[in-house]
Amino acid sequence: MSVYIPNILLAIPRNPVTAVGLPIVLGFASGIHTTDASRSNWYYNLKTPKCNPPREVFPYVWTALYVSMGYASHIAVKALDNTAISANRHELSAGLALYYAQLGLNCLWSPLFFGAQRPGLALIDSVLLTATTWVMTKRWDRATNAKATYWLLPYCAWLAYATYLNAGTWWLNRNGKGSPRP
């Protein structure tokens, strides 16, 4: 039995332009708070874990990841449209439900971390986002002959790294114990 996905949510990824455009638009919209907050005293005074890249890297990485996740959704919906195998239909439709769930979680992270300045809540979101994305990737793997997986593995790896950064930032600054940068 397949998971029900409303027609509008199937129509968006059928077209590769809208499939890629949706996560780009949502990602940039959710990141409105990021630029100002990343230049604020609050952000500057956060202790961050080792291997934290310069803030200028993030827009480029996220743009590439939004393109890859959007294109993976296009691959998945095309596979769904073309399969008659019930097990594949179930995996693909369940993966599409997870796709929209992870997209929502992705859109929440920046407002939680930067807008609300709540690294702990952002960490919970990041863990849920990472887990949802890994499960989605697994569901789409066999049903798309790994085509979607190739597009999603960089996203999965980045989410694991981003969760490490978020966890480290939360840990180093929990209960006001983090000290300002020298």
Side-chain angles (χ1 to χ4, degrees):
M1 179 167 163
S2 296
V3 174
Y4 173 72
I5 307 289
N7 284 336
I8 185 71
L9 297 182
L10 291 172
I12 293 167
R14 278 196 180 105
N15 180 315
V17 173
T18 56
V20 169
L22 178 66
I24 289 174
V25 168
L26 291 177
F28 282 104
S30 75
I32 289 172
H33 302 287
T34 304
T35 302
D36 291 340
S38 69
R39 294 181 180 140
S40 71
N41 285 335
W42 172 79
Y43 185 78
Y44 181 77
N45 289 322
L46 285 176
K47 289 189 82 171
T48 56
K50 294 182 182 192
C51 302
N52 192 28
R55 69 173 192 239
E56 294 82 13
V57 168
F58 290 94
Y60 298 106
V61 170
W62 276 109
T63 301
L65 294 174
Y66 290 139
V67 168
S68 69
M69 81 170 77
Y71 194 72
S73 75
H74 173 70
I75 291 168
V77 81
K78 290 311 234 178
L80 180 64
D81 289 343
N82 293 317
T83 190
I85 301 168
S86 178
N88 282 357
R89 292 193 66 73
H90 175 72
E91 292 298 308
L92 290 162
S93 59
L96 282 164
L98 291 169
Y99 172 75
Y100 285 106
Q102 71 80 32
L103 197 55
L105 289 165
N106 186 300
C107 288
L108 284 176
W109 189 88
S110 286
L112 288 172
F113 189 91
F114 291 106
Q117 298 178 357
R118 300 292 301 266
L121 289 177
L123 177 58
I124 293 167
D125 179 82
S126 187
V127 168
L128 292 172
L129 170 59
T130 302
T132 301
T133 302
W134 279 94
V135 172
M136 172 192 72
T137 302
K138 183 178 182 327
R139 288 197 173 254
W140 283 351
D141 184 58
R142 184 177 56 80
T144 65
N145 294 320
K147 291 175 188 166
T149 304
Y150 295 127
W151 288 92
L152 291 171
L153 282 179
Y155 182 41
C156 290
W158 182 263
L159 288 175
Y161 174 62
T163 301
Y164 153 77
L165 292 175
N166 191 161
T169 301
W170 170 78
W171 181 259
L172 293 170
N173 298 281
R174 69 193 186 287
N175 301 323
K177 291 181 182 174
S179 60
R181 294 178 184 162

